[in-house]
Each structure stands twice: as structure tokens, then as C-alpha cells.
Amino acid sequence: MDGVDVAGERASKDLLKLLTCGSVDDGKSTLIGRLLHDSKQIFQDQLSALAKDSARYGTTGDDIDLALLVDGLEAEREQGITIDVAYRFFGTSKRSFIVADTPGHEQYTRNMATGASNSDLAILLIDARKGVLIQTRRHSLICSLLGLRHVVLAVNKIDLVAYQASVFERIVSDYRVFASKLGFSSIEAIPISARDGDNVTSPSRKTPWYGGPTLLEYLETVDIAHGTADKPFRFPVQWVNRPGPDFRGFAGTVASGTIHPGDPIIAAGSGHASSVKELLTYEGSQSSATAGEAITLVLAHEIDIARGDLLVSSASRPEVSDQFAAHIIWMSDQPLIPGRSYLARIGTKTTPISVTGIKYKIDVNTREHLAAPTLGLNDIGFCNLSTGTPVAFDPYEENRKTGSFIIIDRLTNDTLGAGMIAFGLRRGTNIPWQATLVGKAERAAHKQQKPAIIWFTGLSGAGKSTIANIVERQLHAAGHHTMMLDGDNVRHGLNRDLGFTEADRVENIRRAGEVAKLLVDAGLIVLCSFISPYRAEREMVRRLVADGEFIEVFVDTPIEECARRDPKGLYAKAKAGAIKNFTGFDAPYEAPETPEIHLRTVGQQPEQLAHHLIAKLTELGLIR
Amino acid sequence: MDTSISQDEIPRRALPKHLRSLEAESIEIMREVIAEFRSPVMLYSIGKDSSVMLHLAIKAFHPARPPFPLLHVDTTWKFREMIAFRDETARRLGLDMIIYANQDGLARGISPIASGSSAHTQIMKTEALKQALDLHGFDAAFGGARRDEEKSRAKERIFSFRSQGHVWNPRNQRPELWNLFNMRIRPGETIRVFPLSNWTELDIWHYIMLERIPVVPLYFAKERPVVRRDDAWIMVDDDRLPLAPGEQPEMRRVRFRTLGCYPLTGAIESDATTLEDVLSEMRSTRLSERQGRLIDSDETASMEKKKREGYF
């Protein structure tokens, strides 16, 4: 290997993180294989394994197939494609490199975004025979959104177009036209052959018309100074270190800026102020700490700080808001639905989040803004979002560490999307809560009852409204103050504008939930009868009210039985294809996993079930 | 409590920029785990990577001691010097060290000699690890694997999601954007965490030298009794290694680049007796680190297969 710095004599040697991207079959894996091979990072036993693999899976005839050095998963070898991002390492005497080798296939775009989020520079490969393709544009757009400022346009397979300068020049000029609005500060175009090594680590004699650097030369010398040390101080608190009563330190990594003992700091969310007493590491106290350093911060006074807080310099504070606009890259097969409650991770904080509106999605080919009710897999949208608690952030353009977030599914815990905050929205901060003089508890006390939402969920025709009606009749007779919200009835008025797509169903339940919450504030027992097919929305309504105030009643009737009863004739219509998005047919129903009350209706009379339900409500202490 | 990393009083030399940034990244990852998981554990395999990982943990939580136990999955076939080093390390640092061996496997007489490397690894490492994690209810486990070791390792996330039964599905891993790790799991699911993902073998040795981290003496050249088998020098560490008729252990100056079960770990002939020697030897070697690991060359994609079954 080239240049082992035995005594650490190259104390300034730094680390460049980059990714390779571009379309399928443009030679990304081969290029990385070539870089590893030509910088002598491949060992003899790996080369002999490669020769064996090339004979079995290779696509380069009798030559060794360098792509097989990096495509390590079985499915990748079988299909000859890259599925998942792989990280590769090489070093020269000047720099260490971490390369994210990312997939070209559109279905794996999320892995490309993953690689880009941690990179300083992108090598965008283009097949000289094919020119600028849709994935070239998609990947460029993602690189731009993720804040990459340097792009190497590697025009590969130049050998297959007879090393023609005109082909290279045309591609470069096409690309520059497309990329002119993407905000890259440099685009370096290099004609290469990854397979043969032209202009990769050594200049090619076959491209005398090209006078620029080789790819490796460029990577070794490009200036990628982040400038994060000069930015305002930001410190997301990871963990409170309290080994005993005498020590309390806040462990974390400086996201940006520089801090010294004595500097005043503020907890951005609460506004509590203190100053830095000590910057502690294992090596002892430090006189300063700067972006990228993992330290433990000891403060001069005790203020209430926990994981999730952002400590900042008092001279330059971030925005704090529960509403903001952001670009979102969606990474899941299940669509992003406005109104649905997800979790977001911002810095070290986790908070509920929902999209209040999709302003537009971006056509990756033309960069046109298109209207969109939802975002699907690989869509890029610009959205308004609302969080459960206020968050402290900077615009992503100014600070990647404090302006980025991920979106997580509450039920499966899958990572669904990545967000980059553009700016805060004023509307959240300009509408303060008006304190009312009479509260929920007082209203309920007046009525001598505990208010609650009794939420009936189940398929169409399961018997929800029938049972709810009997229950309400009996509660009313017993002197309780009640209100009934029925799915059909609400759709005639409040929700007249909504249809039955997933997005509209989510909004339907969101509004019904908000109304039910107001009625609970009024002290009422609210019976709600809604198919409410998605767990996420039922959970959202549950969180609108206090613990114990949401009683989920699963009216459990098999779909065959519902279709047999068919009280509204809807199943017959659905079967005939006259209704679309009918729950149980062509739209899903997510049954409750742990409902408070589970009513199996087959073989039971509605009166018996209502009686059982009332007994359960008494047991839960909701009614006398 | 003595959490000193080295008894050596010589001041450490400044770390180059890229090692400082790798160190900070590893520390950040470890703190994330402690903040989010109920019951984490650190796998301690006694090798050089484990030594670096442990060193980083002591730094990450200072002045507290690392708030998790260490777990050593013992196949009972480790080098004797490894076991002595392990016990000495736990004693010196005052850390809680859980030692676990698959008792059922032992009762069945599983060994690298009698059962072959593949069955031995499966039962005494992978199965044993899963048993130990389940027994203690650990929900996150640190491992010292690096992405530069092997092709399927290169595909590994830093937070590697394992579904119930410790299954790794390379197609079902969470995208990792920025440093925003998604650590949420449901009951029965676990996470393997690799804080050294972005380190290379060279970084590890370089860091060990600059930070003066103690490592098992087997990494340094010495006259040791060995026999030649399948192009590798196998050390006769105790009398359990059966010798073929006429096979006679000979003394050779050898050292190890990687440590595992002694009958499955090939030594290399070497004169490197210091860290400086080891680093300069690496400069000229033509062979990869895992070349001495007999279990890797069983079949193509064997690491991926082992990982799918729950191997680290």
C-alpha cells in the first residue's frame, strides 16, 4: 500500500467523503474497483478471488471484472447490479477517502440519497454512448438538495465512442445547461474509461484533447473546506453524564461553531441561559472545542437540559417553531399522506410530525413544480410540516446538522423519508392559545360524568352505528350527556369535500377527531362511528385527548358476513366495480391490535353487544 | 475505579485529522446507543478492533465508566494468551465481563477439529451469541466489525437492524441519512451497532500506536510452535490439536493479523515485534487481513450467509 504514515507525521492528512452516482450500467462499481486497484489497495488473495468470480459472474470476457470487487451481495452478483450502498476506503499520501458506492436503479434511489447525505462531493457518471439520462438528473437534483457543492462529471466508456472529443463536449454542455440552476459551486468534467483506466489515476494518451487533471489528482486536491467552524455554535445534547452527585455534564458533538470556557450559552427551546464552565474530554479540560469534536460540556449553573435540547450561542440563535417548510425525499412504498402522524428525528430530538400540505412535487426531469395530493416512492416534494413540540433549527442551506430530519413510521418504525428545512412558518407562532376561563374538568363536573371518546371502528356493515345507537340511547336514559358523530353524517356536512382516497380518509378522520376532542372539552361522552381503516389515524385521535379518554371499540365482523348483510348495498356495488377504494376490497383495513373493547358480532345480537359494552365502560370507571 | 487506558506515562502523540474525525464519529455513535436503548452490551472478542472499541467507550463516557457490560462469546478454542489478556483487561479496567459458551454445543462435543470450521462457527459463535443476547435481554449490541474487512461488511449499516430471531435481511435495512440514526425497535427486535464501520485496518493499527492501547501479544512476532496446513501456519496452542502421522510442530517466528479460534487462524511469518514494525509490514504486504481466517473462504458469500443467520 502506498504511504503508511507510520509515526503520524502527516498530522494534517484529511478525510474526503464522496459518492459515486448516475444511471444503471454506467460503470460506477467498475470505477471504484479501478480506483482501489490502481491505488494498490487490492491484496493478492482478493485479486485471485476476483479472478475466480470474474470467470463465474463477470461481464468483461476474459478480463477481470473490477465491478465484482464491490458488488458483494449474492443478489447483486447474480443480477450484476448494485442494490445497496457500499462503503469503500482508499488512501494516498495526500488524503484518505471514504467512497459511498450507490445504486443506479431508480427503485434504490433512497440508498443514493443516503450516500449523498454524508458526502462532500459527488462523482456523477455518464455513459458516453448515452449522455444525460433521467437518473443523471434525478441524482443531480438530490445532490443539490442535500447540499453537495462539488460535482465531478465523469464521462465514462470514452473508449466505446472512439475517444471523440466532440462526444465529450456535447455531453458536458448538455449537463451544464441542466445543472446551471442547481447551485453547484464547481462541476469538473473528466473523460474516463473505468474499465481501461484512462484518466483515472494516470493521464491517457488516447485523449490528447483533454488537458485537465486525472480523476484521482482532482480528488486529492479539491478544496472541500466546510467552514462549519466559523458558523454559530450549535450543540445537540446527546446524553446527560451523571456518574455521581458531584458531576453533571452534557455529552454531544459540536455541530457547528467553536466554544470556549466562559462563553454564554442558551438552551434554544426553553431560552434558559448559562455559561460554559468546562469542556471535558478523556484527555482532560480543553481550552476550546470546534465543529466535529465529541465533548462533554459542564455548565456554570444548573439549568434543566436533557437529550433533545440544542445548546446555542446566545449571540446567534436558531429559529424555534412548530411549523416549517421543507423539502422531503420520500423513501417508502407506502405514500406520504398529509395529516397522518409520523415521528421526526431532528438533531437528538424525536417529536410527532405531520405534513399539513404538499405545496408541490418536483419533476426530476424538467424541475417543474407539479401539484400532488401525496408523495410516492422516490418523489421529492416541498411541504409544510407541523411538529408536536416546537423544535430549534437552522435552514438546511445554512447548517446541514441542524436543518435536517428523518421521518419514521410510528407503527413499523421504518425510516420513510428525509427532510431538509427551508424556513420556519410564522402561522404557528402567531396564533397563541387563548386561555378559557371554564375548563374541561369543570364542564364535566357539572355534568357529573367523565368525558371520553368511544371510537367504533370496523368494516362497512360491521354493525358500528347500530351498536353505537343502542349504547347512546341507554347512556342518555341513564342521565349521561352524550353526542354521536357518525361517519356518513359527517360526510354530508363538515367533510363534504372529501372523497375516499387514502389522503382524504386521513383528513376525514383528522377533522372528526378534532371535533370529538372539542366535544370532550365540553364534558361530553362522544360516540364516534367511523370505518377509520388506518391504525395511524386512530392513534392520532387517541393522542388528541388525555390518557384513558379514548376507548377504541373494534366491531369485528368478517368481510364475508358484512357482504352478506350489506345494509347499504355497497358491497354489491363494489363487487360490480361501481365503487373504488372500498375498504376490504381494494382499500386496506388495519384491524386494531389491542382495542380497549373487542366485539365479535357473529352470532350475537346488537343489544347483547351494547350491554357488554356498557358493562365494560362501567368497569373502566367511565360511567356509574 | 481505574479507567486509565494505558499505564504508559509517555504523552500521546497528536492524532492526524482523519483519525480525530473517526474517533469523534465512533464516540457519537456510542453515546446515541446509551441514550436510546434499554439494555446495551458490547461484544468483546479480545482482538485489536475490540481493544480500540473499548478504548473509545472509555473516552465516550468519561468521567463515568462505560454504562454497559462486555460480553465475550467463548468457543473454548481461543488462544490461551487471548483468554489471559481478556481477564487482565477486565481486572485492570474494573469492567463487568460476561463470559458465555454454548453449553449445549459443548455437551455435543462441537469443536473445530471434530465438527469442521463451518459447524463450529455456526454453533459455538452464531448460536452462542444469539443465546447470550436472549438470555440477558440485550436490545443493542456493539460489534467491532469494519466495512473494509469484507464485501458484505461493506454493505452494512452502522445501526444494523435485526428482526425477531436476530435475522439480518440486507434488503430490509434502514437508510442512514446524516447522523440521524433510527433506533426504534419493537419487542423482540434488536440492533447491532458498528461504531468502527468507517475505520480501516491501517487506521486501527495507527490509532493503537498513537493512543498506546494494549493488545494481545500474539499480534507481534515471536518463536511459536506451528505446523503447516493448507498454506497456513497453524499454532499448536495446546495438546487438543491432533497431529497427522509424521507431523512435527516446528518453532517459527510468526505473528497474527487477526485472531480467532486457534485451529482456524493462520499465522504469518514475520519479524515485526513492535507497532512500528507491524505498520511498516502492512505497507509491503500483498495479502489481506482476513486471508488468515479459514472460515471466510468456505464458499463465496459465506460472510453474508453467516450474517443472515445472526453472525456479527
Side-chain angles (χ1 to χ4, degrees):
Chain A
M1 282 204 226
D2 177 45
V4 176
D5 4 355
V6 170
E9 68 268 26
R10 290 191 198 99
S12 66
K13 184 171 143 176
D14 64 2
L15 185 61
L16 175 65
K17 294 185 177 185
L18 64 147
L19 80 152
T20 54
C21 54
S23 203
V24 187
D25 283 338
D26 52 17
K28 290 182 294 298
S29 300
T30 307
L31 175 64
I32 294 177
R34 170 61 64 189
L35 280 169
L36 293 172
H37 182 267
D38 289 4
S39 60
K40 307 204 170 33
Q41 316 277 321
I42 312 286
F43 295 107
Q44 213 164 46
D45 53 311
Q46 291 169 330
L47 273 177
S48 55
L50 177 66
K52 243 194 292 170
D53 288 349
S54 296
R56 184 163 166 197
Y57 303 103
T59 55
T60 48
D62 292 337
D63 296 342
I64 56 168
D65 185 350
L66 290 167
L68 294 173
L69 277 173
V70 291
D71 286 339
L73 299 175
E74 270 181 278
E76 294 179 323
R77 299 172 151 242
E78 282 157 10
Q79 299 173 40
I81 58 166
T82 307
I83 292 173
D84 209 339
V85 53
Y87 294 88
R88 296 284 155 188
F89 309 85
F90 67 98
T92 67
S93 56
K94 299 199 176 78
R95 251 184 190 157
S96 283
F97 300 92
I98 299 182
V99 188
D101 174 23
T102 70
H105 281 256
E106 184 175 338
Q107 70 196 101
Y108 301 113
T109 299
R110 63 176 192 185
N111 293 324
M112 180 267 158
T114 300
S117 76
N118 289 315
S119 293
D120 306 308
L121 172 148
I123 300 180
L124 189 66
L125 274 101
I126 290 190
D127 185 327
R129 297 167 302 172
K130 297 180 186 160
V132 175
L133 299 175
I134 182 158
Q135 278 299 78
T136 322
R137 296 178 186 186
R138 181 190 295 276
H139 286 175
S140 299
L141 186 61
I142 292 174
C143 286
S144 155
L145 282 174
L146 283 164
L148 274 76
R149 290 294 162 257
H150 302 281
V151 170
V152 180
L153 193 67
V155 179
N156 191 24
K157 308 193 187 182
I158 197 75
D159 51 320
L160 299 184
V161 295
Y163 304 98
Q164 290 177 71
S166 58
V167 175
F168 175 73
E169 279 153 15
R170 196 177 61 241
I171 290 172
V172 174
S173 102
D174 281 355
Y175 185 77
R176 285 192 191 277
V177 168
F178 166 75
S180 61
K181 293 198 182 85
L182 290 178
F184 296 129
S185 50
S186 78
I187 299 171
E188 182 79 25
I190 306 175
I192 64 165
S193 164
R195 196 179 144 180
D196 300 336
D198 295 282
N199 295 325
V200 177
T201 55
S202 53
S204 172
R205 256 174 269 147
K206 294 165 185 156
T207 54
W209 41 267
Y210 173 73
T214 64
L215 178 62
L216 189 63
E217 234 177 288
Y218 177 74
L219 295 178
E220 281 181 325
T221 53
V222 60
D223 177 21
I224 39 116
H226 307 286
T228 45
D230 311 329
K231 291 189 171 161
F233 176 70
R234 300 285 184 262
F235 184 80
V237 175
Q238 272 193 293
W239 179 69
V240 182
N241 190 348
R242 216 172 337 180
D246 306 329
F247 183 86
R248 184 172 140 97
F250 303 101
T253 302
V254 181
S256 62
T258 303
I259 190 94
H260 308 88
D263 287 354
I265 58 106
I266 281 181
S270 65
H272 291 314
S274 184
S275 63
V276 176
K277 188 171 138 198
E278 190 184 8
L279 300 170
L280 188 67
T281 66
Y282 179 81
E283 282 76 33
S285 291
Q286 293 194 173
S287 57
S288 75
T290 182
E293 287 187 61
I295 55 163
T296 299
L297 217 138
V298 184
L299 299 182
H301 339 90
E302 285 280 313
I303 56 175
D304 182 23
I305 294 170
R307 174 172 172 84
D309 284 328
L310 184 68
L311 301 183
V312 304
S313 110
S314 54
S316 173
R317 295 165 70 164
E319 199 158 345
V320 179
S321 174
D322 60 357
Q323 296 200 40
F324 51 77
H327 282 101
I328 290 180
I329 302 175
W330 198 247
M331 303 181 165
S332 171
D333 292 322
Q334 49 155 312
L336 178 153
I337 309 283
R340 175 162 288 175
S341 178
Y342 303 103
L343 290 173
R345 236 205 105 179
I346 303 181
T348 53
K349 186 186 184 87
T350 302
T351 175
I353 194 166
S354 62
V355 170
T356 54
I358 299 174
K359 296 184 169 189
Y360 55 80
K361 73 173 183 187
I362 301 175
D363 181 319
V364 295
N365 217 0
T366 60
R367 299 187 56 246
E368 229 179 323
H369 296 175
L370 308 173
T374 63
L375 294 182
L377 180 66
N378 297 324
D379 278 348
I380 300 168
F382 191 58
C383 305
N384 284 348
L385 296 109
S386 160
T387 55
T389 49
V391 293
F393 61 86
D394 296 292
Y396 184 81
E397 277 205 330
E398 286 168 26
N399 197 323
R400 277 163 85 161
K401 296 270 182 192
T402 51
S404 53
F405 62 97
I406 58 169
I407 298 177
I408 300 170
D409 187 283
R410 281 178 170 276
L411 299 166
T412 62
N413 292 327
D414 290 337
T415 300
L416 303 175
M420 290 138 284
I421 299 176
F423 48 81
L425 297 173
R426 297 280 164 243
R427 62 180 90 171
T429 43
N430 290 341
I431 311 174
W433 282 97
Q434 179 69 45
T436 52
L437 296 178
V438 181
K440 173 165 73 177
E442 291 162 284
R443 295 190 196 101
H446 223 270
K447 296 182 165 53
Q448 300 186 330
Q449 66 182 20
K450 283 190 180 175
I453 296 174
I454 300 169
W455 188 275
F456 296 79
T457 173
L459 296 170
S460 176
K464 298 181 296 297
S465 300
T466 310
I467 299 166
N469 273 320
I470 302 171
V471 171
E472 187 180 27
R473 185 82 253 160
Q474 295 189 9
L475 290 177
H476 185 78
H480 290 291
H481 297 255
T482 62
M483 180 61 196
M484 173 86 165
L485 292 179
D486 186 89
D488 286 348
N489 296 352
V490 172
R491 279 184 178 276
H492 285 299
L494 176 66
N495 292 353
R496 187 162 55 186
D497 57 327
L498 301 176
F500 291 87
T501 60
E502 191 173 356
D504 279 1
R505 283 175 184 275
V506 169
E507 178 61 13
N508 183 45
I509 299 303
R510 189 190 70 79
R511 291 186 199 169
E514 290 288 346
V515 172
K517 179 193 170 212
L518 289 173
L519 296 175
V520 164
D521 280 347
L524 301 176
I525 296 173
V526 195
L527 296 100
C528 297
S529 170
F530 290 86
I531 295 172
S532 49
Y534 302 109
R535 269 181 219 129
E537 279 64 62
R538 298 194 301 264
E539 284 305 303
M540 174 182 74
V541 179
R542 182 186 293 275
R543 283 187 305 274
L544 287 175
V545 292
D547 283 351
E549 287 182 348
F550 182 85
I551 311 296
E552 188 175 39
V553 181
F554 179 25
V555 183
D556 186 0
T557 309
I559 188 156
E560 303 75 35
E561 175 64 15
C562 293
R564 196 187 58 74
R565 293 181 194 165
D566 204 8
K568 302 172 196 162
L570 295 174
Y571 283 90
K573 282 192 195 169
K575 248 182 225 162
I579 308 180
K580 278 225 153 93
N581 300 325
F582 192 70
T583 303
F585 266 81
D586 54 350
Y589 179 76
E590 298 170 3
E593 281 172 337
T594 51
E596 273 77 8
I597 299 171
H598 191 159
L599 302 177
R600 291 184 179 82
T601 69
V602 176
Q604 300 275 323
Q605 289 307 308
E607 290 75 15
Q608 287 175 285
L609 294 163
H611 182 74
H612 175 67
L613 206 159
I614 286 178
K616 278 280 194 183
L617 295 178
T618 315
E619 214 175 281
L620 289 168
L622 279 168
I623 57 171
R624 298 178 295 276
Chain B
M1 178 181 71
D2 173 20
T3 55
S4 67
I5 288 173
S6 160
Q7 294 96 330
D8 204 333
E9 290 306 316
I10 302 170
R12 59 180 213 135
R13 281 173 279 188
L15 294 176
K17 249 198 265 178
H18 85 280
L19 285 183
R20 266 189 311 192
S21 97
L22 289 171
E23 178 186 73
E25 179 188 69
S26 302
I27 288 175
E28 181 176 3
I29 292 162
M30 289 180 175
R31 289 170 170 173
E32 283 298 283
V33 172
I34 292 317
E36 294 269 332
F37 287 91
R38 182 180 42 78
S39 182
V41 66
M42 179 172 277
L43 263 289
Y44 180 73
S45 69
I46 320 175
K48 61 187 185 302
D49 303 300
S50 279
S51 295
V52 166
M53 186 163 63
L54 181 55
H55 179 85
L56 289 165
I58 286 164
K59 286 192 166 193
F61 304 105
H62 176 80
R65 69 168 76 194
F68 45 74
L70 306 184
L71 169 64
H72 178 232
V73 174
D74 193 353
T75 62
T76 73
W77 286 88
K78 299 293 168 193
F79 291 88
R80 283 176 294 174
E81 279 183 84
M82 288 174 75
I83 300 302
F85 183 85
R86 173 194 74 190
D87 295 344
E88 163 63 16
T89 300
R91 191 198 56 73
R92 177 168 53 84
L93 300 177
L95 294 171
D96 183 11
M97 176 88 71
I98 299 168
I99 293 158
Y100 185 87
N102 182 347
Q103 293 305 318
D104 174 57
L106 289 180
R108 284 159 61 198
I110 303 295
S111 84
I113 312 291
S115 326
S117 67
S118 177
H120 172 73
T121 304
Q122 162 64 19
I123 296 165
M124 298 308 289
K125 287 177 89 169
T126 306
E127 283 308 314
L129 171 66
K130 293 197 276 187
Q131 288 169 3
L133 295 177
D134 291 341
L135 178 69
H136 295 273
F138 294 124
D139 53 358
F142 290 107
R146 307 186 322 267
R147 285 171 173 155
D148 78 328
E149 283 179 69
E150 202 269 347
K151 278 184 287 239
S152 68
R153 292 265 201 234
K155 300 273 172 180
E156 189 48 291
R157 299 289 194 267
I158 292 174
F159 284 77
S160 174
F161 176 78
R162 306 289 166 111
S163 48
Q164 291 211 344
H166 307 279
V167 177
W168 181 66
N169 178 356
R171 286 181 190 241
N172 184 29
Q173 298 295 304
R174 295 166 175 173
E176 290 189 334
L177 293 121
W178 303 287
N179 56 344
L180 298 175
F181 301 108
N182 173 358
M183 289 170 276
R184 298 177 64 85
I185 52 170
R186 294 189 288 188
E189 297 169 344
T190 55
I191 298 270
R192 307 276 170 92
V193 189
F194 302 108
L196 304 182
S197 285
N198 288 328
W199 295 59
T200 64
E201 185 189 9
L202 193 60
D203 294 330
I204 292 286
W205 279 118
H206 199 171
Y207 190 72
I208 286 170
M209 181 175 75
L210 297 176
E211 293 278 306
R212 311 190 168 276
I213 302 169
V215 291
V216 185
L218 290 161
Y219 287 115
F220 303 107
K222 198 180 131 183
E223 298 269 325
R224 294 186 169 98
V226 290
V227 291
R228 189 78 181 158
R229 290 185 183 174
D230 296 334
D231 293 337
W233 290 110
I234 300 298
M235 180 169 156
V236 186
D237 195 48
D238 58 34
D239 53 17
R240 290 180 294 173
L241 190 76
L243 297 176
E247 197 176 41
Q248 197 55 252
E250 51 182 307
M251 295 304 281
R252 291 234 169 210
R253 205 170 162 77
V254 292
R255 69 175 200 93
F256 295 85
R257 276 177 83 183
T258 173
L259 292 174
C261 294
Y262 84 78
L264 303 177
T265 308
I268 52 168
E269 288 190 86
S270 168
D271 290 319
T273 57
T274 66
L275 286 163
E276 282 81 356
D277 294 346
V278 166
L279 275 159
S280 49
E281 191 182 88
M282 283 190 67
R283 182 179 2 210
S284 54
T285 184
R286 300 287 303 127
L287 295 170
S288 81
E289 172 187 18
R290 293 197 77 92
Q291 173 267 341
R293 288 271 188 133
L294 303 189
I295 59 170
D296 280 6
S297 46
D298 291 347
E299 51 193 310
T300 307
S302 79
M303 174 74 87
E304 181 182 350
K305 283 208 180 92
K306 286 201 283 277
K307 281 165 67 77
R308 282 173 179 274
E309 290 167 358
Y311 187 75
F312 233 96

